[in-house]
């Protein structure tokens, strides 16, 4: 297995840094290949702008079409091309980050904004009366897996069905479904560490053991059963779930998970 770890925390000695290092050592010891994109260490540029698209940048800037032209011509900046090549190399992608303000750190969102360009991660495939492009289970990154490893300062009950912060599955849905599943990645259930701000040295071995177990079962873990866009479950072109397919009592984001 070839795994790309995209790591987003500014402190190497942080819990996130430890989990990233443990992932590398665990996977390599098991005979897997690992590459790491440590975004803070790379001084990753987090803003998409005209400089990313070189001679293909229009005035006014049109990020979608300009990024697509630059991608097709092979003229994206070297840092972006390198990350796209890593994604194509990998069998599995792990995003390691702390939950900040209910989402990923800005530097990781900036990695998505710049790397997931038009014609690479979206805007691919046939658009017709029966298909609406290759996305949500199809696309450039189909056949690969992805998983989030997330640390959260709050306690687990805070992120439950009645918790004040909302269910963790709902908070992560935009990343799971809208960023990872959209270009075809099969998404595994997340590894979540709650109460990270309260963790002591005595707590860490249990977390490390659980993380090792997840890492060693990446290939056998069942992905979240998101519905494929072109599977027949959605009306085209409205992309609304067809009547009668919703599981009993399920609403909202849960409608887009089978079973």
């Amino acid at each position: 297995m070839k795994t790309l770890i995209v790591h987003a925390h500014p402190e190497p000695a942080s819990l996130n840094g430890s989990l990233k290092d443990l992932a590398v050592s665990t996977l390599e010891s098991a005979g897997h290949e690992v590459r790491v994109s440590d975004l803070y260490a790379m001084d990753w540029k987090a803003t998409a702008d005209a400089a990313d698209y070189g001679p293909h940048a229009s005035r006014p800037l049109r990020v979608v079409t300009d990024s697509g032209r630059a991608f097709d011509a092979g003229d994206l900046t070297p840092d972006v091309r390198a990350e796209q090549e890593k994604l194509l190399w990998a069998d599995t992608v792990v995003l390691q980050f702390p939950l900040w303000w209910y989402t990923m750190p800005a530097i990781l969102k900036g990695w998505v904004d710049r790397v997931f360009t038009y014609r690479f991660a979206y805007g691919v495939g046939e658009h017709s009366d029966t298909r609406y492009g290759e996305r949500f289970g199809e696309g450039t990154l189909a056949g690969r897996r992805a998983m989030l490893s997330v640390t959260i300062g709050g306690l687990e009950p805070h992120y439950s069905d009645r918790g004040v912060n909302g269910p963790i599955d709902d908070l992560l849905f935009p990343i799971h479904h809208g960023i990872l599943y959209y270009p075809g990645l099969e998404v595994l259930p997340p590894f979540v560490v709650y109460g990270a701000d309260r963790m002591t040295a005595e707590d860490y071995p249990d977390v490390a053991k659980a993380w090792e177990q997840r890492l060693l079962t990446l290939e056998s873990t069942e992905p979240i059963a998101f519905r494929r866009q072109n599977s027949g479950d959605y009306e085209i072109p409205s992309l609304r779930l067809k009547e009668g397919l919703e599981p009993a009592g399920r609403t909202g984001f849960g409608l887009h998970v089978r079973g």
Side-chain angles (χ1 to χ4, degrees), residues 157-234:
H158 300 178
Y159 295 86
S160 63
D161 54 350
R162 298 172 69 88
V164 67
N165 292 319
I168 189 61
D169 288 344
D170 284 2
L171 293 179
L172 297 181
F173 183 87
I175 304 174
H176 279 158
H177 191 261
I179 293 176
L180 299 175
Y181 192 60
Y182 190 109
L185 290 157
E186 293 287 344
V187 183
L188 305 183
F191 179 77
V192 181
V193 178
Y194 296 97
D197 291 346
R198 301 166 177 81
M199 184 174 296
T200 66
E202 290 73 24
D203 298 325
Y204 180 71
D206 288 340
V207 172
K209 182 178 179 180
W211 183 218
E212 289 175 332
Q213 291 174 340
R214 282 299 307 273
L215 290 164
L216 295 174
T217 57
L218 285 177
E219 294 175 292
S220 60
T221 300
E222 286 294 317
I224 300 170
F226 290 131
R227 300 176 187 272
R228 294 182 182 274
Q229 175 186 276
N230 295 308
S231 65
D233 287 357
Y234 296 95

Side-chain angles (χ1 to χ4, degrees), residues 54-69:
H56 305 281
S58 60
R59 295 184 181 179
L61 182 68
R62 296 177 175 85
V63 170
V64 173
T65 55
D66 295 353
S67 69
R69 287 200 303 269

Side-chain angles (χ1 to χ4, degrees), residues 31-49:
H32 303 299
E33 297 179 67
V34 182
R35 295 182 183 177
V36 177
S37 291
D38 186 337
L39 300 184
Y40 283 96
M42 294 161 62
D43 195 21
W44 179 261
K45 173 178 169 282
T47 53
D49 56 27

Side-chain angles (χ1 to χ4, degrees), residues 69-91:
R69 287 200 303 269
F71 171 76
D72 287 340
D75 287 337
L76 291 167
T77 54
D79 57 345
V80 170
R81 292 201 309 269
E83 296 305 298
Q84 291 181 343
E85 289 167 2
K86 291 177 190 177
L87 285 165
L88 295 175
W89 166 86
D91 301 313

